[in-house]
Amino acid sequence: VEVNAYIDGVIEEVIPREGVVVANEVSLVQGIFGVGGETRGILKRIAASPDEVVSASKIETDCQNKVLIAGSLITYEAIEQAIKVGARAIVGGGIEDGTLRRFLGYDIGVTITGSEQKGLTVVITEGFGKMRMAKRSFELLASLEGKMASVNGATQIRAGVIRPEVIVPCPETE
């Protein structure tokens, strides 16, 4: 049986009836909050800076199957446009609670996210509201533009914390 892995790498160990251990040197950006499950796509920067609020007009058909690097605030219009063009994920500094509610169709309580099937994985690196993405995170992701990224929006705040993530194999190991 062939199964697609979440990340590229070398299988170091097979765990019978459970899975495998995949090893690789990667760059990792963890978020504060996310929704949507595992996905993969080529990184594409759509913001000029970590302060920029990306308008929907910047998300064009060349964003199809891409992981979009936004700046500060992810707006509802940007999310809708990303879904419309077939983007895989969008990563930004912040999101308004009302935007998240409108996107999901319900309020998020104290729960585990990641099982939402809304057509787009969203990773928030800083928090709620208009928050600029950390400069270091933005610059790292921008430097990896054009590379394959694995993204997971799963979040759990309680015990056994799970953070959303963007993982990109290091260029030296490709």
Side-chain angles (χ1 to χ4, degrees), residues 44-67:
K44 178 173 178 54
R45 184 170 55 136
I46 58 171
S49 75
D51 301 296
E52 182 180 350
V53 176
V54 175
S55 68
S57 65
K58 282 196 147 187
I59 303 172
E60 300 177 340
T61 56
D62 64 342
C63 293
Q64 183 177 19
N65 297 320
K66 302 287 192 311
V67 172

Side-chain angles (χ1 to χ4, degrees), residues 67-90:
V67 172
L68 308 178
I69 307 163
S72 61
L73 184 67
I74 297 176
T75 65
Y76 180 75
E77 293 74 23
I79 289 172
E80 285 296 302
Q81 182 64 15
I83 292 169
K84 182 179 176 184
V85 302
R88 298 285 177 93
I90 188 166

Side-chain angles (χ1 to χ4, degrees), residues 32-35 97 100-101 104-114 116 128 155-158:
I32 294 297
F33 182 80
V35 292
D97 181 55
L100 187 60
R101 188 177 321 106
L104 294 175
Y106 57 88
D107 276 322
I108 290 270
V110 179
T111 185
I112 299 172
T113 69
E116 303 81 11
F128 287 90
T155 307
Q156 179 174 303
I157 306 302
R158 298 187 281 183

